[in-house]
């Protein structure tokens, strides 16, 4: 590799370091895989799915996707009440649940599973909860930068007592910050993001995601539609399905990031655009869309429970509101609660 190529590579890496993959934002941006497998889904040729666009050019860039069983290792950073943890664990366990009432979280994951690697292998159907680490004493303070997030992960995998296991192939590391922690660009640009750790910091290349609890920072942005921005007069917030605006808002962001980690873990697999440091991924294409007709500040057609709470999918013993993702078979945003199914 010549000096010019080395310099170009170094410059590209510099921008990648500064710009981990942008995560969920409150308002929308508004392909087929290497095989035509549709698993057990039948989407036919319907053109009624939301968020469709002839201008979307989502492409596969030949990198790996998560075909091996996924184990989510969670880092609870800050002060976390058990009730809040139970909501998030309930969502994660619902991804691979087989007996949930439709429309279900596992039905949502079937769309993510349609994506394949260059061998034609689909993303795994199995996601399980792995080890957890509590960082209740804010080991890196209450204000984190994007790079210090990787230092938090390093502390978790190298702890002297009960370190998180290191699993580069099937491990997914989920850093969740409590509502009194601020992370660089939180609220202003992102509600969560995903990337991979650098061996120079952590010692390993591990796919990870960060999601913050926005309850005290910006609920009208990152916990929408359970809270609404002040600049939208007359718009009423919806009642959250689990009685916790901050955590119910986090669930959809977590779903967004896990879907993108599964399909683009090392930023060289499925995304649209020419710049891997600013890709548009499968959940970015459907931001703000939760049901049929969704787009802009309108969520789409949702369900109301007996208690007045709003949801669109069922999990294990709970209900959730989860954003749709891009369907590679029909090239539209879709979800298990679509009225077309």
């Amino acid at each position: 590799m010549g000096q010019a190529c080395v310099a170009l590579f170094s410059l590209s890496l510099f921008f990648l370091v500064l710009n981990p993959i942008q995560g969920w934002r409150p308002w929308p941006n508004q392909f087929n895989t290497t095989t035509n497998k549709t698993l057990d889904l039948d989407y036919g040729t319907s053109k009624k799915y939301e968020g469709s666009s002839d201008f979307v050019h989502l492409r596969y860039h030949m990198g790996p996707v998560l075909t091996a069983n996924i184990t989510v290792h969670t880092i609870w950073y800050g002060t976390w009440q058990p009730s809040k943890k139970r909501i998030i664990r309930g969502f994660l366990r619902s991804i691979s649940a087989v007996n949930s009432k439709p429309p279900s979280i596992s039905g949502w994951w079937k769309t993510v599973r349609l994506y394949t690697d260059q061998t034609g292998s689909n993303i795994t159907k199995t996601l399980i909860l792995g080890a957890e680490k509590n960082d209740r004493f804010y080991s890196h303070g209450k204000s984190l930068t994007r790079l210090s997030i990787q230092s938090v992960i390093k502390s978790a995998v190298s702890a002297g007592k009960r370190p998180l296991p290191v699993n580069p192939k099937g491990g997914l590391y989920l850093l969740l910050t409590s509502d009194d922690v601020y992370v660089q660009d939180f609220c202003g640009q992102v509600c969560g993001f995903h990337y991979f750790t650098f061996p120079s910091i952590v010692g390993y290349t591990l796919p990870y995601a960060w999601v913050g609890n926005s309850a005290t920072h910006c609920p009208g942005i990152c916990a929408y539609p359970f809270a609404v921005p002040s600049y939208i007069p007359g718009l009423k917030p919806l009642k959250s399905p689990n009685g916790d605006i901050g955590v119910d808002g986090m669930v959809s962001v977590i779903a967004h990031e896990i879907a993108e980690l599964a399909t683009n873990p090392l930023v060289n697999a499925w995304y649209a655009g020419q710049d891997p440091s600013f890709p548009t991924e499968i959940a970015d294409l459907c931001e703000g869309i939760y049901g049929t007709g969704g787009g802009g500040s309108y969520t789409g057609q949702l369900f109301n429970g007996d208690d007045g709470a709003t949801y669109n999918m069922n999990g294990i013993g709970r209900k959730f509101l989860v954003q749709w993702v891009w369907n590679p078979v029909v090239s539209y945003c879709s979800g298990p609660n679509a009225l077309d199914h």
Side-chain angles (χ1 to χ4, degrees), residues 225-226 237-243 245 248 304 306-311:
F226 306 126
L238 304 178
K239 183 177 180 180
S240 64
N242 295 286
I245 290 174
D248 274 316
N304 289 318
D306 295 337
D307 59 355
T310 302
Y311 68 99

Side-chain angles (χ1 to χ4, degrees), residues 22-247:
Q22 298 295 325
W24 185 92
R25 303 172 192 80
W27 312 114
N29 295 330
Q30 338 251 81
F31 125 26
N32 286 336
T33 59
T34 53
T35 73
N36 291 319
K37 294 180 181 179
T38 59
L39 304 178
D40 53 348
L41 298 176
D42 182 11
Y43 291 98
T45 57
S46 171
K47 295 296 183 181
K48 298 178 182 178
Y49 296 91
E50 308 309 310
S52 61
S53 175
D54 293 333
F55 300 102
V56 172
H57 300 292
L58 194 69
R59 295 191 302 111
Y60 178 49
H61 295 78
M62 304 305 289
V65 301
L66 299 186
T67 58
N69 291 350
I70 297 171
T71 302
V72 178
H73 300 297
T74 308
I75 303 170
W76 304 97
Y77 191 88
T79 303
W80 283 92
Q81 298 172 359
S83 60
K84 298 179 185 292
K85 290 183 177 181
R86 283 194 293 269
I87 295 171
I88 293 174
R89 290 191 192 110
F91 166 72
L92 294 172
R93 290 191 177 104
S94 297
I95 290 177
S96 293
V98 295
N99 296 319
S100 297
K101 178 182 176 182
S104 66
I105 298 298
S106 56
W108 167 85
W109 186 250
K110 288 178 181 178
T111 302
V112 180
R113 288 200 62 217
L114 293 172
Y115 292 85
T116 64
D117 64 12
Q118 58 185 303
T119 71
S121 298
N122 292 84
I123 287 171
T124 179
K125 66 180 180 180
T126 303
L127 184 148
I128 61 174
L129 295 186
E132 298 184 355
K133 195 69 177 174
N134 293 298
D135 197 332
R136 61 177 60 91
F137 297 114
Y138 307 87
S139 64
H140 291 72
K142 290 189 175 183
S143 182
L144 303 175
T145 65
R146 290 175 180 261
L147 284 182
S148 66
I149 281 178
Q150 296 205 20
S151 296
V152 173
I153 296 173
K154 177 184 179 181
S155 296
V157 299
S158 62
K161 183 178 181 181
R162 296 181 180 177
L164 290 184
V166 174
N167 182 0
K169 184 177 181 181
L172 188 159
Y173 297 79
L174 182 60
L175 175 60
L176 304 174
T177 50
S178 56
D179 61 7
D180 56 347
V181 176
Y182 176 75
V183 174
Q184 180 184 355
D185 298 327
F186 191 19
C187 298
Q189 296 184 30
V190 296
C191 303
F193 59 74
H194 74 87
Y195 207 52
F196 54 87
T197 62
F198 303 132
S200 59
I201 297 177
V202 180
Y204 310 91
T205 300
L206 305 172
Y208 75 92
W210 158 77
V211 178
N213 187 329
S214 65
T216 60
H217 292 294
C218 56
I221 296 177
C222 293
Y224 178 84
F226 306 126
V228 297
S230 58
Y231 54 80
I232 305 181
L235 185 62
K236 294 183 179 180
L238 304 178
K239 183 177 180 180
S240 64
N242 295 286
D244 191 309
I245 290 174
V247 174

Side-chain angles (χ1 to χ4, degrees), residues 252-294:
S252 191
V253 187
I254 291 170
H256 179 123
E257 300 305 333
I258 287 179
E260 293 183 342
L261 269 173
T263 54
N264 196 29
L266 300 181
V267 204
N268 60 358
W270 291 102
Y271 65 87
Q274 301 301 313
D275 186 351
S277 63
F278 296 98
T280 299
E281 299 172 278
I282 72 165
D284 295 327
L285 292 167
C286 305
E287 287 171 0
I289 299 176
Y290 301 84
T292 300

